[in-house]
């Protein structure tokens, strides 16, 4: 451990020298009640930024222990601290948004969702934030004085400001942590209440725009109101809001297990409700408007995704014999169609433990969703390989115990088989189950059911480790995620554009590394995909997200850096990424 004066000394010595001389500052320096860790120094001004950490003693920061005593509270608090550091940086250094990397501080803080992430860490003895910084240069020379100002003055000042717990931070931070704890408590009540989702009264479901995930403004929005017949009241560990009246319950719409339809006219808010349910598997920040929209943790958005690859999925419950005589019990394709991609997605989701499927007509294959009486009369069953979802959705619930929530305004064929039918009309939810059943009685459906067979057990697959090759060029392991929906895994690119429940680029990165880790440690000739995912979850629980760094190549210099940019993905998104890896090979169990 060195004193800060030593860092100052080095920076003054290397001022004006070649950029490579920055290497000398790698190390740990004491500053006041904290430390600066310079973990990784970039090789040149245009390389990925350098990695630094600022750690403050708890004596100084004094974060009350009750705010991180449980796992969920700690996750929430760490997420809060990363946001607070981000705000502090923005407030102090508006120039950080400028193009060009010299002089740029940044921290991987979240957006609307609260996730377990590695950007901030709280322990009994200290609290730490992990950042990236562009070390300043003129041309390719060290700008020692500027670096000194940044590392020796700005960083400790910002760090202390962000991490020292004052009364005003306490009210904000406490509200944040307790709100997240409330959301988690609601999510845990869903199972025992036999619900798949809960939408709290007064929630704001629509977003600002198609490119902004912030809530729609108060002037335009119609706040969510539950229909009386679906209203439930759940318990909360903490009163709502900082100035709550002490009441620890919340009311809202409970969506029961089974088959649920969201119907209604175009542009009346069906997809908006469904999208809020998709995101309800994660906690949201106070003020998001969807804090009290919570969905079963194993709810998976399913959509059609033509042109994706499919590897040995048994799609026979939906797709019978294909024109080329291709088997659909071990269905593989380099380029799926709309219907086969969606059928595969349903079976892949059930394979790894989905309990709820979320689907929207806007992103579904029509021929998988329905086949009406006239089409049945014209195209005989023997010429149509597809058994539509109308004829499978009940079996999926009754035999596989997987519920479905389906946003569909275009067909009444589901009225007979749904348990709950919610109409949204001018953004207001109405329970129209009784009325829809009446319509179904009065206008009998002439279509014939296309299968009487129960929904079969989904075939488990065993992923083969050697098919995940992370090597690229001279790197034995090269895995990158620069965007939320793309992983570069070795030489291949995994397209996650249709995996809509990945919400943060740091999750994407973690998925990439988790796949590598799994291929090294958990995949064997016997382990099914579901078992491999159990092992990954266990790894996250026992060793923490930080340990994903072990997946990095020893030879890569990035290996020395702190893992400040991982966020925890769900097993379902890890599976979805693996299923989309174009080199994946599996064998069926
Ligand atoms: P649908 O799927 O029924 O066609 P959408 O859910 O796509 O409709 O919503 C259509 C539009 O209505 C969107 O622009 C959305 O932002 C807006 N919207 C949805 N819900 C609300 C609401 N509660 N208040 C105000 N606007 C809303
Ligand atoms: Mg829609």
């Amino acid at each position: 451990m060195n004193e800060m004066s030593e860092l100052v000394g080095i920076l003054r010595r290397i001022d004006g020298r070649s950029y490579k001389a920055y290497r000398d500052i790698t190390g740990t320096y004491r500053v006041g009640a904290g430390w600066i860790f310079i973990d990784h120094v970039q090789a040149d001004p245009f390389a990925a930024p350098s990695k630094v950490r600022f750690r403050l003693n708890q004596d100084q920061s004094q974060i009350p222990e009750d705010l991180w005593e449980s796992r969920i509270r700690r996750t929430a608090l760490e997420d809060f601290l990363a946001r607070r550091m981000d705000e502090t940086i923005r407030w102090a250094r508006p120039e950080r948004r400028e193009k060009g990397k010299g002089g740029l501080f940044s921290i991987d803080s979240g957006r609307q969702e609260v996730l377990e992430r590695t950007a901030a860490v709280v322990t009994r003895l200290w609290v730490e934030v992990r950042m990236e910084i562009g070390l300043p240069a003129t041309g390719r020379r060290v700008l020692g004085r500027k670096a000194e100002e940044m590392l020796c003055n700005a960083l400790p000042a910002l760090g202390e400001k962000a991490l020292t717990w004052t009364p005003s931070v306490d009210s904000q931070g406490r509200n944040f942590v307790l709100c997240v704890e409330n959301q988690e408590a609601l999510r845990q009540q869903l199972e025992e209440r036999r619900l798949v989702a809960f939408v709290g009264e007064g929630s704001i479901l629509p977003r600002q725009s198609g490119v902004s995930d912030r809530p729609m403004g108060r002037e335009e929005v119609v706040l969510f109101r539950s229909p009386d017949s679906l209203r439930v009241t759940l318990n909360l560990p903490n009163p709502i809001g900082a100035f709550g009246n002490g009441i620890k319950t919340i009311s809202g719409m409970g969506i029961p297990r089974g088959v649920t339809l969201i119907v209604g006219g175009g542009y009346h808010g069906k997809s908006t409700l469904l999208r809020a349910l998709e995101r309800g598997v994660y906690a949201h920040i106070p003020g998001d408007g969807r804090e009290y929209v919570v969905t079963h943790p194993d709810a998976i958005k399913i959509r059609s995704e033509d042109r994706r690859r499919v590897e040995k999925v048994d799609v026979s419950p939906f797709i019978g014999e294909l024109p080329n005589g291709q088997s659909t019990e071990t269905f593989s394709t380099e380029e799926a169609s709309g219907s086969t991609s969606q059928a595969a997605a349903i079976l892949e989701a059930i394979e790894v433990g989905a309990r709820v499927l979320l689907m929207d007509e806007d992103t579904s294959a029509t021929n998988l969703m329905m086949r009406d009486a006239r089409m049945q009369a014209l195209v005989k069953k023997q010429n149509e390989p597809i058994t539509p979802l109308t004829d499978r959705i009940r079996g999926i619930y009754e035999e596989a115990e997987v519920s479905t929530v389906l946003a569909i305004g275009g067909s009444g064929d589901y009225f007979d088989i749904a348990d709950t039918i919610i109409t949204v009309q001018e953004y207001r939810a109405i329970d129209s189950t009784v009325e829809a059943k009446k319509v179904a009685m009065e206008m009998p459906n002439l279509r014939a059911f296309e299968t009487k067979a129960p929904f079969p057990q989904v075939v488990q697959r065993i992923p083969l480790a050697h098919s995940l090759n992370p090597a690229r060029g001279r790197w034995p392991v090269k895995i990158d995620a620069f965007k939320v929906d793309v992983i570069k895994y070795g030489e291949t690119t995994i397209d996650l554009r249709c995996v809509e429940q990945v919400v943060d680029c740091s999750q994407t990165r973690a998925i990439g590394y988790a796949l590598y880790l799994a291929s090294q440690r958990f995949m064997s000739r016997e382990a099914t995909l579901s078992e491999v995912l159990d092992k990954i979850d266990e790894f996250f629980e026992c060793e923490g997200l930080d340990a994903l760094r072990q997946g990095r190549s020893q030879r890569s210099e990035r290996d020395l850096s702190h893992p400040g940019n991982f966020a925890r993905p769900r097993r379902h998104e890890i599976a979805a990424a693996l299923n989309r890896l174009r080199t994946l090979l599996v064998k069926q169990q």
Side-chain angles (χ1 to χ4, degrees):
M1 179 116 26
N2 301 301
E3 296 301 325
M4 183 57 95
S5 56
E6 245 164 287
L7 178 57
V8 174
I10 303 171
L11 286 169
R12 292 192 179 167
R13 174 166 59 75
I14 63 174
D15 186 25
R17 297 212 350 230
S18 133
Y19 199 85
K20 289 242 182 304
Y22 265 132
R23 292 258 158 103
D24 294 354
I25 66 173
T26 310
T28 307
Y29 305 92
R30 188 169 29 205
V31 47
W35 295 272
I36 287 174
F37 298 78
I38 302 176
D39 292 321
H40 164 71
V41 170
Q42 65 207 95
D44 65 73
F46 311 100
S50 305
K51 302 247 185 184
V52 299
R53 285 177 284 154
F54 177 75
R55 181 183 286 186
L56 192 63
N57 278 333
Q58 280 283 16
D59 304 345
Q60 163 84 28
S61 105
Q62 304 222 337
I63 302 179
E65 207 172 315
D66 68 305
L67 290 183
W68 45 280
E69 65 191 1
S70 68
R71 175 149 193 142
I72 182 68
R73 287 189 174 199
R74 177 195 296 261
T75 299
L77 177 67
E78 289 174 345
D79 180 293
F80 174 78
L81 290 171
R83 289 170 199 272
R84 192 162 155 73
M85 187 67 201
D86 189 44
E87 272 166 33
T88 311
I89 294 168
R90 278 168 203 272
W91 169 81
R93 303 184 79 86
E95 79 269 28
R96 70 180 276 278
R97 285 150 171 271
E98 274 174 31
K99 281 256 183 261
K101 287 181 176 159
L104 182 129
F105 268 119
S106 67
I107 184 164
D108 181 44
S109 62
R111 297 190 178 194
Q112 299 305 107
E113 281 79 20
V114 178
L115 303 172
E116 182 182 333
R117 56 196 324 136
T118 57
V121 179
V122 181
T123 72
R124 187 168 300 281
L125 296 178
W126 44 260
V127 8
E128 178 178 291
V129 279
R130 293 142 167 209
M131 279 156 289
E132 296 192 327
I133 175 179
L135 289 171
T138 46
R140 288 184 182 274
R141 310 220 153 259
V142 168
L143 252 183
R145 295 285 167 167
K146 176 112 190 274
E148 183 182 327
E149 194 279 319
M150 293 188 70
L151 292 169
C152 307
N153 304 336
L155 179 57
L158 294 172
E160 281 192 32
K161 183 168 164 46
L163 301 181
T164 304
W165 212 249
T166 62
S168 84
V169 178
D170 187 68
S171 73
Q172 223 192 341
R174 193 165 286 277
N175 183 42
F176 189 99
V177 170
L178 299 186
C179 177
V180 170
E181 186 178 50
N182 273 348
Q183 301 176 47
E184 189 54 31
L186 291 179
R187 198 167 292 107
Q188 277 171 11
Q189 282 167 70
L190 294 176
E191 191 78 42
E192 75 200 52
R193 301 288 297 252
R194 301 183 64 79
L195 298 174
V196 298
F198 172 84
V199 186
E201 295 288 356
S203 292
I204 298 172
L205 307 186
R207 302 291 95 191
Q208 223 166 44
S209 77
V211 291
S212 164
D213 212 26
R214 291 181 205 266
M216 180 181 273
R218 287 261 166 189
E219 325 69 57
E220 307 157 74
V221 72
V222 175
L223 299 179
F224 185 82
R225 261 187 64 82
S226 172
D228 292 338
S229 52
L230 292 175
R231 188 172 296 119
V232 295
T233 301
L234 302 181
N235 298 318
L236 298 171
N238 316 297
I240 293 182
F243 309 102
N245 47 10
I247 296 176
K248 292 195 195 172
T249 57
I250 182 170
S251 298
M253 177 172 81
I255 300 183
R257 287 185 196 168
V259 177
T260 302
L261 307 182
I262 300 171
V263 305
Y267 217 67
H268 278 249
K270 300 181 294 296
S271 298
T272 303
L273 173 55
L274 193 83
R275 221 170 288 129
L277 299 180
E278 284 165 43
R279 293 300 177 95
V281 299
Y282 299 115
H284 287 91
I285 58 172
D288 173 80
R290 298 169 299 185
E291 298 94 302
Y292 294 107
V293 181
V294 296
T295 308
H296 193 291
D298 296 307
I300 304 183
K301 172 69 179 291
I302 300 289
R303 55 177 287 170
S304 88
E305 182 182 352
D306 58 341
R307 313 195 68 171
R308 66 159 279 198
R309 182 167 179 272
V310 175
E311 167 68 6
K312 291 205 180 109
V313 177
D314 176 4
V315 294
S316 61
F318 290 103
I319 320 278
E321 194 159 302
L322 291 174
N324 54 9
Q326 201 190 343
S327 156
T328 56
E329 284 169 16
T330 52
F331 178 73
S332 301
T333 175
E334 292 298 323
E335 191 173 24
S337 66
S339 57
T340 51
S341 64
Q342 191 167 0
I346 292 171
L347 292 153
E348 288 167 344
I350 298 175
E351 178 187 0
V352 298
R355 299 297 310 285
V356 186
L357 306 177
L358 304 171
M359 285 185 253
D360 192 323
E361 63 185 344
D362 295 348
T363 49
S364 290
T366 312
N367 57 347
L368 189 74
M369 301 305 277
M370 57 201 148
R371 210 162 98 80
D372 67 14
R374 285 185 168 167
M375 199 55 84
Q376 282 181 328
L378 183 70
V379 181
K380 294 284 180 287
K381 181 61 194 155
Q382 60 267 29
N383 296 321
E384 171 55 276
I386 300 175
T387 302
L389 193 64
T390 39
D391 301 351
R392 282 297 190 191
I393 204 166
R394 281 238 64 89
I396 290 177
Y397 177 55
E398 276 155 28
E399 280 107 33
E401 292 179 51
V402 177
S403 298
T404 306
V405 180
L406 179 59
I408 184 162
S411 169
D413 279 359
Y414 284 88
F415 288 176
D416 313 80
I417 45 190
D419 299 296
T420 308
I421 298 154
I422 299 164
T423 303
V424 282
Q425 194 175 320
E426 292 174 7
Y427 318 127
R428 281 167 231 280
I430 301 163
D431 179 0
S432 19
T433 311
V434 175
E435 203 183 331
K437 292 287 178 190
K438 199 166 144 237
V439 170
M441 290 275 281
E442 285 168 8
M443 299 173 66
N445 201 333
L446 300 178
R447 73 182 297 279
F449 264 79
E450 296 188 3
T451 177
K452 291 197 180 67
F455 194 79
Q457 277 253 310
V458 170
V459 175
Q460 300 282 319
R461 294 170 305 153
I462 296 167
L464 303 179
H466 67 84
S467 66
L468 284 77
N469 179 3
R472 188 190 320 155
R474 63 192 168 89
W475 289 284
V477 179
K478 190 94 175 93
I479 301 164
D480 304 301
F482 300 115
K483 284 166 67 187
V484 66
D485 50 13
V486 186
I487 301 173
K488 303 266 284 176
Y489 191 94
E491 300 276 356
T492 55
T493 299
I494 308 177
D495 183 349
L496 298 179
R497 276 176 300 179
C498 292
V499 182
E500 292 166 294
Q501 286 165 299
V502 180
V503 296
D504 191 309
C505 185
S506 302
Q507 283 183 310
T508 314
R509 189 174 297 110
I511 292 171
Y513 280 96
L515 291 178
Y516 175 60
L517 176 87
S519 74
Q520 295 292 297
R521 305 216 346 215
F522 308 139
M523 290 181 190
S524 68
R525 292 250 136 210
E526 291 92 50
T528 63
L529 174 54
S530 187
E531 288 162 352
V532 169
L533 297 168
D534 291 343
K535 291 256 176 59
I536 296 177
D537 272 334
E538 196 182 300
F539 178 89
F540 285 151
E541 293 301 318
C542 301
E543 313 212 13
L545 266 182
D546 268 3
L548 265 186
R549 176 181 39 171
Q550 294 168 1
R552 293 182 171 186
S553 153
Q554 290 302 316
R555 259 186 265 171
S556 148
E557 65 174 322
R558 284 172 164 231
D559 196 38
L560 302 168
S561 59
H562 68 75
N565 52 8
F566 287 132
R568 175 118 180 227
R570 298 191 307 165
R571 65 191 275 125
H572 305 295
E573 281 68 46
I574 300 173
L578 185 64
N579 282 320
R580 284 160 182 77
L581 176 70
R582 290 214 168 247
T583 57
L584 176 70
L585 299 174
V586 304
K587 62 178 193 194
Q588 288 188 342
Q589 198 184 32

